[in-house]
């Protein structure tokens, strides 16, 4: 990231102060196990390739806004510290994973600007600002570190209010769309299917339960055919949805990214396999 771009962020008082850019892509990344951040596997290599592809295309974000499955709060909040810490929000993994750091800067000025431009759909209030409690959890750094290993692009996380209905998460994504034309790369990090209780660690990447395949297929069809608002109705799938998401925090980031998609933008899928038979790694790029 250039010095001038960094300076423009630090001086920003609002979105209108940022020069307009070409519309940046919006990404949904299936992050799966935290070990994907350090293992040399298909998933990590795909994130590395995506970062290289975006750089080769001249896509250089001023800021990355990440919606991770792992930050749930009452109301919506943005990280607003200048140096967000790397959070190791897991247990039972090798020390090498806990040793990982992603020292990307934050941007309190941009957090304030986004807070002022995006409203919480249930109350109309500005997004909250978190200056000290959170940071970058593994839903964010596990995918960004392979994509942008230099950690020189400012990163802000947006929390999710798990208590609110799916349509409100999608509505926040609709508001985030404006950021794409101000140099902000929007990244949702979760999983289209996520059921830890039924994981089979011996399963190959092309193996999965029938209900996992079905939920992934239906979701992919909605995305491919542009029926993005239909993603809000995932719970109407009944038992299949309950099996795919005993709790749905890993599905919700998809709604933010889908909400930020512009008219006529076609999706491109990658990583359309499974981890442990019950975690869909399917990922999507819209541009």
């Amino acid at each position: 990231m250039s010095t001038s771009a960094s300076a423009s962020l630090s001086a920003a008082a609002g979105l209108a102060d940022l020069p307009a850019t070409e519309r940046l892509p919006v990404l949904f990344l299936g992050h799966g196990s935290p070990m994907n951040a350090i293992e040399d596997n298909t998933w990590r290599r795909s994130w590395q390739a995506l970062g290289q592809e975006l750089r080769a295309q001249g896509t250089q974000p001023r800021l990355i806004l990440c919606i991770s499955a792992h930050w749930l709060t009452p109301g919506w909040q943005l990280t607003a510290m200048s140096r967000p810490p790397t959070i190791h929000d897991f247990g039972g993994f090798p020390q090498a994973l806990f040793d990982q750091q992603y020292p990307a800067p934050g941007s309190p000025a941009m957090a304030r600007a986004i807070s002022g431009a995006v409203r919480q759909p249930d109350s109309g209030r500005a997004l909250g600002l978190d200056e000290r409690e959170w940071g970058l959890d593994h839903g964010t750094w596990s995918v960004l570190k392979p994509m942008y290993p230099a950690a020189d692009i400012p990163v802000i996380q947006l929390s999710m209010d798990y208590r609110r209905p799916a349509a409100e998460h999608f509505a926040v994504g609709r508001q985030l769309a404006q950021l794409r034309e101000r140099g902000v790369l929007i990244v949702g990090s979760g999983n289209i299917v996520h059921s830890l209780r039924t994981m089979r660690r011996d399963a190959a990447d092309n193996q999965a339960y029938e209900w996992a395949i079905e939920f992934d297929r239906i979701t992919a069809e909605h995305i491919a055919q542009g029926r993005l608002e239909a993603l809000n109705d995932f719970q109407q799938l009944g038992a299949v949805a309950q099996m795919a998401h005993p709790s749905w925090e890993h599905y919700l980031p998809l709604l933010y990214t889908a909400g930020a998609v512009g008219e006529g933008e076609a999706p491109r899928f990658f990583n359309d396999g499974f981890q442990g038979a019950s975690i869909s790694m399917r990922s999507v790029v819209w541009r």
Side-chain angles (χ1 to χ4, degrees):
M1 183 175 182
S2 68
T3 302
S4 60
S6 180
S8 71
L9 275 181
S10 63
L15 295 182
D17 296 314
L18 289 175
T21 65
E22 292 188 5
R23 185 166 57 187
L24 268 61
V26 58
L27 315 177
F28 174 77
L29 303 180
H31 67 247
S33 168
M35 289 298 292
N36 294 328
I38 60 174
E39 291 181 340
D40 182 24
N41 60 26
T42 299
W43 323 119
R44 184 171 182 270
R45 289 193 295 270
S46 77
W47 301 332
Q48 292 172 321
L50 178 59
Q52 293 165 2
E53 174 191 326
L54 294 175
R55 287 191 292 274
Q57 294 171 345
T59 301
Q60 180 66 8
R62 292 192 180 104
L63 176 82
I64 298 172
L65 177 69
C66 191
I67 305 97
S68 164
H70 297 280
W71 191 25
L72 306 178
T73 59
W76 282 264
Q77 298 185 36
L78 296 160
T79 53
M81 62 284 291
S82 59
R83 291 288 171 184
T86 302
I87 297 175
H88 303 90
D89 51 327
F90 42 68
F93 290 97
Q95 185 59 42
L97 193 59
F98 291 90
D99 291 340
Q100 296 297 302
Q101 295 292 316
Y102 192 66
S107 178
M110 264 307 276
R112 290 192 295 271
I114 295 170
S115 172
V118 178
R119 296 290 157 177
Q120 304 193 38
D122 60 328
S123 66
R125 295 193 302 268
L127 302 180
L129 297 174
D130 171 24
E131 298 179 345
R132 61 181 62 87
E133 296 297 327
W134 203 244
L136 306 182
D137 60 51
H138 81 270
T140 292
W141 61 259
S142 69
V143 295
L144 293 188
K145 189 168 186 177
M147 288 179 63
Y148 296 105
D152 58 350
I153 301 172
V155 179
I156 291 174
Q157 271 198 215
L158 170 64
S159 74
M160 303 184 298
D161 189 338
Y162 185 81
R163 307 168 305 173
R164 305 307 303 171
E168 291 188 9
H169 298 274
F170 188 87
V172 173
R174 283 285 192 231
Q175 296 181 70
L176 296 179
Q178 63 186 303
L179 305 179
R180 298 177 58 195
E181 296 179 354
R182 298 291 177 179
V184 179
L185 180 67
I186 297 172
V187 179
S189 179
N191 292 100
I192 286 177
V193 175
H194 187 270
S195 177
L196 294 181
R197 67 180 66 167
T198 55
M199 275 191 69
R200 289 176 44 203
R201 300 188 184 279
D202 60 339
D205 293 346
N206 61 349
Q207 292 180 310
Y209 297 101
E210 288 299 322
W211 49 262
I213 293 171
E214 181 178 2
F215 189 91
D216 179 75
R217 176 187 60 78
I218 292 170
T219 303
E221 287 178 355
H222 286 323
I223 293 169
Q225 296 176 22
R227 300 192 303 264
L228 300 181
E229 291 200 44
L231 297 172
N232 294 332
D233 301 326
F234 72 100
Q235 289 172 294
Q236 293 182 11
L237 294 174
V240 170
Q242 186 59 41
M243 291 292 291
H245 290 283
S247 59
W248 50 89
E249 72 282 349
H250 278 75
Y251 182 84
L252 294 179
L254 174 65
L255 302 182
Y256 292 80
T257 53
V261 172
E263 186 175 354
E265 289 188 299
R268 174 167 63 88
F269 295 116
F270 65 101
N271 280 359
D272 53 347
F274 288 82
Q275 191 165 38
S278 63
I279 296 180
S280 168
M281 296 296 288
R282 183 183 294 276
S283 301
V284 195
V285 178
W286 288 273
R287 60 181 319 153

